[in-house]
Amino acid sequence: MRKLHYPLSLVVFILLFTIASCKKKETPLAANTETSLNTIEVAFDSTQIKTFFGKYPKLQPYQVEVEKLYRKHQFHYIWFDKDGLNEFAGLLYNKINNLSKEGLETVIPYKEKLDNIYDNPEENQKATIDTELLSSALYFFYADKVYDGIDAQKTKDLGWFLPRKKQSYVNYLDSLLIDPSLIQKEEKGVLKQYYLLKEVLQQYRKIEKNGGWKSIAIDTTIKSYKPGDSATAIAQIRTRLFITDDISRDSKSAVYDDELATGILKFKKRSGNLLNKTILPEHIKYMNVSVADRIKTIMVNMERCRWISNDITKSKELIVVNIPAYELTFFRDGKPELRSKVVVGKAMHKTVIFSAPMKYIVFRPYWNVPTSILKREILPAIEKNPNYLAEHNMEWKDGNVRQRPGPENSLGLVKFLFPNSNAIYLHDTPSKSLFGKEDRAFSHGCIRVAKPRELAAMIMKNDPKWNPEKIETKMNSGDEYWYTLKNKIPVYIGYFTAWVDTEGVVHFYEDVYKRDEALATLLFDK
């Protein structure tokens, strides 16, 4: 059989033509295609994604994530099936339309376009690139606002140095597409407290819708109200406490009776006040904070919850300090085993919001006086009184001043160390009277603990070599002694002015460092 010999140029031409023909069969839809699709297997490319974000510039912050999403899915449609928009697309649309329930007052970009898609069911059957990419971009918008909140740099500017949670919302979308109901559940890694505050938000919005509460008159000639007293203000207080479920009924009585006393104790407990039945003008002033302001406080603290991963509650042991509540809680296996009052930094010496692992307990510690306190307080005192150091059980050590161990030591008889760049730790104190005050911001930044013995015993509970008696002995005799924890315990120092307890009761605390307004400005002043 005769062999045919073709010129090389002809062979090259045939090969190129064949390759081009194959590629032509795989050409993606044009960016403006409106053709109805019966399958999600139709693909597009990154050029069309760039074109989309050129048309919708308000969504450009999510362009990188959107492209990452479609690279993972080989640029195939994910929001459509053969019947049109899938189930999760509808759920996401409803969620975006109800962002106010998530404690957010934010403008939804291209909402008119979004509404037009979902208000016209027959149009939903048409899978277009614009609708597909709009859904993806708005998914990342929703995740950004609801799950992540304000970006990390801004939270640091607000003095928040707790670690931010990390989540891949590209990967999380795969889970949502398989089980759309996950978006309705508490499985997004957000701190559970967020959902508790969300429920309270709805309750307070209902109160607001019903007219809120009226301001209670403060009689400046009366220093306090006590059980048995009678006054118009008593009836007003009764009504106010009924509205927020501190009492179960409103008898309208102007006499301070046992029923009202029970409500006052409940109100004081969730306001961080001392638990007695005396009503002071400052308590009435606190009751007079409007429901609108309480709603704002709830929303601000929902935002703070977005910044913390629920994973912290999975720690075997955990120590949490809430600065505005002036309270420390020790958790074991997710349950609170110890609560203690604390004293935190005064306004000029704010306690830093951060976390670090606790590593040591120091019994009968020396107090190494910080340079700032030495210059500002100790040296001037020595100039006035040459015997100042001896009178305060202090001594010079390597060019610095330290206070010897003992019951009068400023750190008390034990301190708890979680090494950090802020030089903050927990410690005992000889100034026990401060724990009897409602406002407990008195320290230079470190945290004084009302129950140091109990905290040490709780931490060392599983060490067979230690018991409460041995702890007591170490605190009251001998030299400084360092105990190294076998398992480091995470310590979280946080700042929440609204918190829902395990019984579902919301607590509001004084904004001791005036941080709420700065955060509210970022959230609401658009």
Side-chain angles (χ1 to χ4, degrees):
M1 187 173 183
R2 183 182 177 185
K3 293 183 180 180
L4 297 176
H5 297 278
Y6 296 100
L8 180 60
S9 59
L10 178 58
V11 173
V12 172
F13 174 80
I14 292 171
L15 287 172
L16 291 175
F17 179 82
T18 302
I19 293 171
S21 297
C22 292
K23 287 188 174 181
K24 188 173 182 181
K25 292 177 183 178
E26 298 176 354
T27 299
L29 291 176
N32 60 355
T33 298
E34 296 290 338
T35 305
S36 177
L37 302 175
N38 294 316
T39 172
I40 61 171
E41 292 301 315
V42 178
F44 47 93
D45 60 24
S46 59
T47 300
Q48 289 162 300
I49 291 178
K50 292 176 182 176
T51 300
F52 168 83
F53 283 103
K55 291 170 61 178
Y56 299 94
K58 293 177 183 177
L59 295 172
Q60 282 182 350
Y62 313 107
Q63 183 172 346
V64 172
E65 291 295 292
V66 168
E67 184 151 355
K68 189 185 299 182
L69 172 68
Y70 285 103
R71 286 190 182 280
K72 181 178 180 181
H73 287 271
Q74 292 79 48
F75 292 94
H76 286 129
Y77 281 67
I78 60 177
W79 296 96
F80 287 88
D81 55 31
K82 59 185 178 60
D83 297 318
L85 283 164
N86 59 34
E87 178 187 358
F88 181 58
L91 286 173
L92 179 63
Y93 171 68
N94 289 332
K95 283 288 187 179
I96 289 174
N97 265 348
N98 288 281
L99 281 174
S100 61
K101 292 183 179 179
E102 306 292 344
L104 293 166
E105 301 294 343
T106 187
V107 176
I108 300 169
Y110 308 107
K111 188 175 186 304
E112 185 177 344
K113 172 75 173 177
L114 191 67
D115 290 341
N116 184 57
I117 292 170
Y118 287 89
D119 289 343
N120 297 281
E122 66 280 1
E123 293 298 318
N124 291 349
Q125 310 310 313
K126 296 180 180 180
T128 68
I129 289 178
D130 272 18
T131 300
E132 171 71 16
L133 295 181
L134 184 65
S135 299
S136 292
L138 287 170
Y139 161 75
F140 287 109
F141 165 80
Y142 180 83
D144 179 37
K145 298 298 181 184
V146 176
Y147 304 161
D148 277 352
I150 292 172
D151 68 69
Q153 184 54 54
K154 288 182 179 178
T155 63
K156 288 181 180 179
D157 293 342
L158 293 170
W160 186 278
F161 297 98
L162 283 174
R164 291 290 298 265
K165 64 185 180 67
K166 296 180 180 179
Q167 169 76 296
S168 170
Y169 297 112
V170 170
N171 295 334
Y172 185 61
L173 181 55
D174 289 339
S175 300
L176 291 171
L177 291 169
I178 294 171
D179 182 4
S181 67
L182 287 178
I183 199 170
Q184 309 285 10
K185 301 176 183 178
E186 300 172 8
E187 299 182 15
K188 296 179 282 293
V190 180
L191 193 69
K192 185 178 180 180
Q193 179 66 202
Y194 169 86
Y195 300 98
L196 298 176
L197 285 170
K198 181 179 175 180
E199 291 179 9
V200 171
L201 177 63
Q202 304 315 311
Q203 296 169 13
Y204 273 69
R205 281 188 167 147
K206 185 176 181 180
I207 291 173
E208 184 180 46
K209 186 177 180 180
N210 291 334
W213 50 75
K214 295 180 181 178
S215 184
I216 301 165
I218 299 177
D219 189 338
T220 56
T221 64
I222 297 177
K223 293 183 178 180
S224 66
Y225 295 106
K226 297 180 179 179
D229 290 347
S230 178
T232 300
I234 296 294
Q236 294 174 332
I237 290 170
R238 190 185 301 275
T239 299
R240 165 67 178 81
L241 296 186
F242 171 70
I243 291 172
T244 49
D245 291 328
D246 292 298
I247 54 176
S248 59
R249 70 187 186 101
D250 182 7
S251 67
K252 308 294 183 182
S253 173
V255 177
Y256 191 168
D257 55 17
D258 290 341
E259 185 176 42
L260 181 60
T262 299
I264 287 295
L265 289 175
K266 184 176 179 181
F267 171 80
K268 285 192 171 188
K269 181 179 180 181
R270 64 188 193 84
S271 302
N273 300 129
L274 297 179
L275 294 182
N276 58 51
K277 298 176 182 178
T278 302
I279 305 173
L280 300 173
E282 52 260 40
H283 300 142
I284 298 176
K285 183 179 178 181
Y286 208 59
M287 292 179 196
N288 283 343
V289 174
S290 71
V291 65
D293 284 339
R294 288 302 184 210
I295 287 173
K296 183 184 290 187
T297 298
I298 294 168
M299 294 169 73
V300 161
N301 286 279
M302 286 177 70
E303 174 65 24
R304 290 180 175 130
C305 288
R306 291 183 177 95
W307 307 341
I308 302 177
S309 172
N310 199 40
D311 288 345
I312 70 167
T313 61
K314 298 176 184 177
S315 301
K316 178 70 176 177
E317 296 173 317
L318 176 68
I319 295 172
V320 175
V321 175
N322 186 10
I323 294 171
Y326 303 119
E327 185 176 63
L328 174 149
T329 306
F330 179 96
F331 293 90
R332 181 175 279 118
D333 296 323
K335 298 178 181 179
E337 289 205 355
L338 174 70
R339 297 187 190 278
S340 174
K341 292 179 179 180
V342 297
V343 170
V344 300
K346 60 185 75 172
M348 290 181 63
H349 304 283
K350 297 179 179 66
T351 298
V352 182
I353 301 167
F354 76 107
S355 71
M358 183 180 291
K359 297 181 179 180
Y360 311 104
I361 300 175
V362 184
F363 296 104
R364 296 185 66 79
Y366 281 96
W367 178 43
N368 297 299
V369 179
T371 303
S372 58
I373 297 177
L374 177 64
K375 292 180 178 179
R376 188 173 60 249
E377 299 177 23
I378 305 298
L379 293 180
I382 292 173
E383 288 184 10
K384 294 180 180 179
N385 177 12
N387 296 319
Y388 180 87
L389 293 184
E391 291 174 3
H392 290 81
N393 199 27
M394 292 180 171
E395 64 185 12
W396 286 97
K397 175 69 174 179
D398 298 329
N400 295 310
V401 170
R402 68 178 185 177
Q403 190 175 33
R404 300 183 189 93
E408 298 305 315
N409 185 285
S410 293
L411 304 185
L413 298 172
V414 60
K415 68 177 178 180
F416 307 84
L417 298 180
F418 37 104
N420 59 86
S421 60
N422 303 297
I424 289 177
Y425 45 86
L426 308 174
H427 65 88
D428 180 23
T429 177
S431 304
K432 306 295 186 183
S433 63
L434 295 179
F435 296 112
K437 296 181 178 294
E438 291 186 348
D439 178 2
R440 296 193 291 277
F442 294 106
S443 80
H444 286 86
C446 287
I447 300 166
R448 305 174 191 176
V449 182
K451 299 179 180 179
R453 288 173 176 80
E454 294 88 338
L455 180 59
M458 192 65 64
I459 293 171
M460 305 166 80
K461 182 178 181 179
N462 296 322
D463 189 335
K465 296 181 180 179
W466 286 81
N467 55 39
E469 291 74 22
K470 184 175 180 179
I471 290 173
E472 188 71 24
T473 299
K474 281 295 182 184
M475 289 177 67
N476 289 287
S477 62
D479 298 324
E480 182 180 76
Y481 180 87
W482 285 60
Y483 173 87
T484 302
L485 275 65
K486 293 181 179 179
N487 298 304
K488 300 172 186 175
I489 300 176
V491 178
Y492 275 75
I493 301 173
Y495 194 94
F496 290 90
T497 52
W499 190 264
V500 182
D501 65 22
T502 54
E503 296 177 354
V505 177
V506 64
H507 297 242
F508 291 103
Y509 303 112
E510 194 68 37
D511 183 13
V512 58
Y513 294 159
K514 308 303 178 189
R515 295 184 183 274
D516 281 6
E517 194 56 40
L519 177 51
T521 298
L522 288 175
L523 286 175
F524 309 128
D525 292 356
K526 303 297 182 182

